Amino acid sequence: MEINFLSKMFLPFILPFLVAGAQASLANPEQIHISWTENEHEMKITWSVFLETECKLWYRPTLCSDTSTDFAFKHIKSQHTKFDEGTWVNRFVFIHTAVLTNLRDDCFYEYYIENHISTSDTYIFSGQTPQSFDNYGNSNNPVKVIIFGDLGTGPHGNLTYQYLQADAVSRNFSAVFHMGDIAYNLESNDGEVGDEFLNMIQSTAAIIPYMTLPGNHENDQNMLHYRMRFNMPKNNIDPDGLFYSLNIGPAHFVFLNTEIYFDYYNYPYDEEDYQRLWLINDLTDANAHRNERPWIIVMTHHPLYCSYDFFRHSVERNIVCGADTWFFRDKFEDIFYEQGVDMFLAGHLHTYERMGPIYKNNTVKSERDDLNLHLNPQATVYMIDGNGGSVIGHNAELSTTPHLWNLYSSNDFGYGRMTVFNKTHLFFEQFSAAQEKVTDTLWLIKTRNRF
Ligand SMILES: *[C@@H]1O[C@H](CO)[C@@H](O)[C@H](O)[C@H]1NC(C)=O
Ligand SMILES: *[C@@H]1O[C@H](CO)[C@@H](O)[C@H](O)[C@H]1NC(C)=O
Ligand SMILES: *[C@@H]1O[C@H](CO)[C@@H](O)[C@H](O)[C@H]1NC(C)=O
Ligand SMILES: *[C@@H]1O[C@H](CO)[C@@H](O)[C@H](O)[C@H]1NC(C)=O
Ligand SMILES: [Fe+2]
């Protein structure tokens, strides 16, 4: 019998309860989530099982445009890694991954996971991967993603999640982007909080790619839980997938890791500026394809700009909107400006704030600026969307003296929806779970490349 998931000291108390039913639930594939990979037309499926079992991923194409397709279920075996989730007691879990390759854009894929004791529910995802949107700027196939940061379990996270999930299913979003601070924390209660979170999001993450970047709450043990549980695309500079980029139709999305610049993270490579050099190369390359793919959107956990009343609030908050932002502006702002990044989003502040196009702390005029529209912006538009639902709650009061570049702020829990319609039109809206409605919108329209 497999009992090594329990600390040996608890064994005498637990053994009598280890009946067959308990075994079956320990063998359940759980925390199922999918993500795009660094390769074209692939989907990675990740899940956990608390017993060491051999798992098969059964899958088949369905709803394809061409009915001569072979619709029979086939299977592949997963790879698994034994992981001790526990900080204080041993909690061994077996994290499985399997990658489906050569996916077809015109099909959906059904799949389920089976081991010799247990079988998961069946899930379905779209065979469209980032490359599938490459008829650049076809409004019939817009890129639609959900974006937010700072989402955990508990009543706040759950509130947002109820809406997010309904949206993800009914409105055909292509991906979810979670900009760090995940579960509060993945390692808490010997990893139980991470398990609970991944089970909470399973109804979305098992059917829509759940793409992440790390926040400060992932910092424990050099982001061990983050690296074990999320499997983001890798690149030759960062084999851990802690920063990466994706070309999706007319947009280039960059996921950065601001946490490596803080002392608590012991970056395993030569120097912190590895990422910065990677970013410059990545954006230079993106700019070489700017006509086909005009939009560049960068996300991190820590912001470069946020409004804050320095004299009203705690030292910690002052640092977040003060020293920290100045540090990151120094590192990144000129790169964003020179490389013509259209939009920058971050979390960390548990709030939603939409700013105008900014450079060096000043608003930069566009060809036309309305309250909810910029035509041909001349600098990066900055946003904070960090109110997914932290367990800590609202801890970022809105500024009573917002900066001139602040255009809208809100403290409601919720998330953003971005639609890149085509090469010229990008639309963003903020959905408030608290008010059950869209509370802010933004059109970015580009008729030419400024930068
Ligand atoms: C979230 O809330 C719903 C409805 O109140 C409840 O049924 C569900 O169990 C909660 N889920 C979590 C993960 O807390
Ligand atoms: C979502 O996709 C399905 C299958 O392609 C389609 O039938 C449905 O109309 C789409 N729903 C929306 C809201 O676009
Ligand atoms: C940025 O601009 C605001 C006015 O909007 C000003 O109060 C503030 O001191 C400036 N900060 C820096 C770092 O220059
Ligand atoms: C791009 O999308 C916008 C918004 O849907 C639409 O108004 C515009 O006509 C589209 N442009 C092209 C060239 O399809
Ligand atoms: Fe944070």
Side-chain angles (χ1 to χ4, degrees):
M1 193 191 304
E2 286 283 346
I3 43 173
N4 56 5
F5 61 99
L6 293 165
S7 165
K8 293 180 178 51
M9 66 188 264
F10 293 125
L11 217 54
F13 308 106
I14 299 289
L15 263 179
F17 301 102
L18 273 180
V19 291
Q23 263 249 358
S25 78
L26 292 169
N28 283 347
E30 58 170 71
Q31 308 176 42
I32 302 166
H33 52 288
I34 66 176
S35 51
W36 289 324
T37 77
E38 59 279 12
N39 302 315
E40 299 194 350
H41 303 291
E42 284 190 358
M43 193 71 83
K44 184 177 283 181
I45 295 104
T46 304
W47 66 92
S48 294
V49 185
F50 284 91
L51 290 183
E52 184 158 27
T53 57
E54 209 168 72
C55 290
K56 287 176 185 159
L57 179 83
W58 289 91
Y59 68 98
R60 66 165 187 161
T62 180
L63 305 170
C64 306
S65 59
D66 119 43
T67 49
S68 65
T69 309
D70 176 5
F71 292 112
F73 271 102
K74 298 188 178 64
H75 75 266
I76 53 174
K77 283 184 182 161
S78 55
Q79 307 279 333
H80 67 261
T81 308
K82 184 177 182 178
F83 175 46
D84 184 359
E85 296 192 3
T87 310
W88 305 107
V89 298
N90 297 332
R91 282 186 79 239
F92 292 109
V93 66
F94 299 87
I95 298 185
H96 292 247
T97 55
V99 178
L100 293 178
T101 57
N102 298 317
L103 298 180
R104 278 173 48 180
D105 307 328
D106 66 319
C107 299
F108 281 74
Y109 288 83
E110 275 185 338
Y111 72 96
Y112 62 90
I113 297 147
E114 184 198 32
N115 56 37
H116 66 287
I117 307 173
S118 185
T119 304
S120 77
D121 287 342
T122 299
Y123 296 95
I124 185 167
F125 64 78
S126 163
Q128 291 199 335
T129 58
Q131 305 72 41
S132 311
F133 296 85
D134 264 2
N135 47 6
Y136 309 108
N138 171 357
S139 299
N140 298 325
N141 192 21
V143 176
K144 289 170 67 180
V145 293
I146 290 176
I147 305 185
F148 56 86
D150 308 72
L151 178 71
T153 55
H156 305 308
N158 190 356
L159 174 71
T160 297
Y161 184 71
Q162 305 301 316
Y163 293 97
L164 192 153
Q165 194 231 339
D167 243 19
V169 176
S170 64
R171 290 172 180 243
N172 295 352
F173 282 90
S174 304
V176 172
F177 296 163
H178 186 154
M179 302 182 289
D181 280 9
I182 305 169
Y184 297 90
N185 293 352
L186 293 168
E187 77 281 2
S188 298
N189 294 353
D190 294 304
E192 279 176 21
V193 172
D195 299 342
E196 187 193 340
F197 178 81
L198 279 158
N199 280 324
M200 176 178 94
I201 63 165
Q202 176 175 274
S203 49
T204 297
I207 59 174
I208 294 177
Y210 200 91
M211 309 305 291
T212 57
L213 59 84
N216 52 302
H217 279 272
E218 281 69 72
N219 71 27
D220 185 62
Q221 300 169 74
N222 265 351
M223 307 200 168
L224 178 65
H225 277 252
Y226 179 80
R227 285 185 281 116
M228 292 302 297
R229 294 168 185 267
F230 293 96
N231 275 290
M232 292 302 114
K234 302 175 184 356
N235 59 63
N236 52 7
I237 300 288
D238 176 26
D240 286 343
L242 296 174
F243 53 83
Y244 56 96
S245 64
L246 296 171
N247 289 323
I248 315 180
H252 180 74
F253 289 94
V254 182
F255 300 74
L256 293 182
N257 175 1
T258 39
E259 309 318 303
I260 62 177
Y261 300 102
F262 293 92
D263 284 346
Y264 56 64
Y265 190 68
N266 186 4
Y267 198 51
Y269 311 110
D270 289 4
E271 49 174 334
E272 292 168 350
D273 273 348
Y274 250 59
Q275 176 177 236
R276 206 163 152 274
L277 294 177
W278 171 85
L279 175 68
I280 293 169
N281 281 333
D282 180 78
L283 293 179
T284 304
D285 191 44
N287 272 305
H289 301 92
R290 204 74 194 252
N291 287 336
E292 310 92 89
R293 196 177 286 118
W295 299 103
I296 298 183
I297 297 142
V298 176
M299 288 164 280
T300 69
H301 182 64
H302 273 76
L304 267 65
Y305 285 98
C306 40
S307 288
Y308 213 68
D309 297 340
F310 290 102
F311 299 105
R312 283 179 60 222
H313 298 290
S314 70
V315 172
E316 189 210 337
R317 294 293 120 198
N318 286 347
I319 290 170
V320 167
C321 279
D324 287 357
T325 54
W326 299 331
F327 175 82
F328 286 116
R329 278 180 219 176
D330 201 40
K331 272 232 166 322
F332 293 124
E333 182 170 24
D334 277 331
I335 301 176
F336 294 167
Y337 184 74
E338 281 156 21
Q339 300 276 355
V341 170
D342 297 290
M343 198 176 194
F344 171 89
L345 297 106
H348 196 51
L349 268 282
H350 299 159
T351 186
Y352 169 73
E353 180 174 5
R354 177 166 62 80
M355 296 158 257
I358 309 175
Y359 184 57
K360 302 269 189 230
N361 197 33
N362 285 310
T363 301
V364 177
K365 270 194 190 329
S366 315
E367 224 162 280
R368 186 177 129 202
D369 291 297
D370 296 344
L371 198 52
N372 302 92
L373 180 153
H374 303 293
L375 171 64
N376 291 327
Q378 304 295 302
T380 307
V381 169
Y382 286 85
M383 307 190 75
I384 308 242
D385 206 328
N387 232 10
S390 155
V391 283
I392 304 158
H394 297 289
N395 64 359
E397 282 174 61
L398 299 181
S399 173
T400 54
T401 55
H403 288 267
L404 296 171
W405 30 251
N406 168 289
L407 295 178
Y408 180 87
S409 3
S410 157
N411 242 339
D412 291 351
F413 292 111
Y415 53 91
R417 301 167 177 151
M418 183 187 285
T419 307
V420 186
F421 280 102
N422 50 40
K423 289 183 183 182
T424 54
H425 286 67
L426 185 154
F427 179 68
F428 185 93
E429 61 184 13
Q430 180 67 9
F431 178 78
S432 158
Q435 298 186 52
E436 298 185 282
K437 66 174 193 197
V438 170
T439 46
D440 187 41
T441 62
L442 173 68
W443 280 102
L444 290 188
I445 304 174
K446 292 216 299 190
T447 55
R448 56 191 168 79
N449 283 324
R450 175 269 328 145
F451 42 13

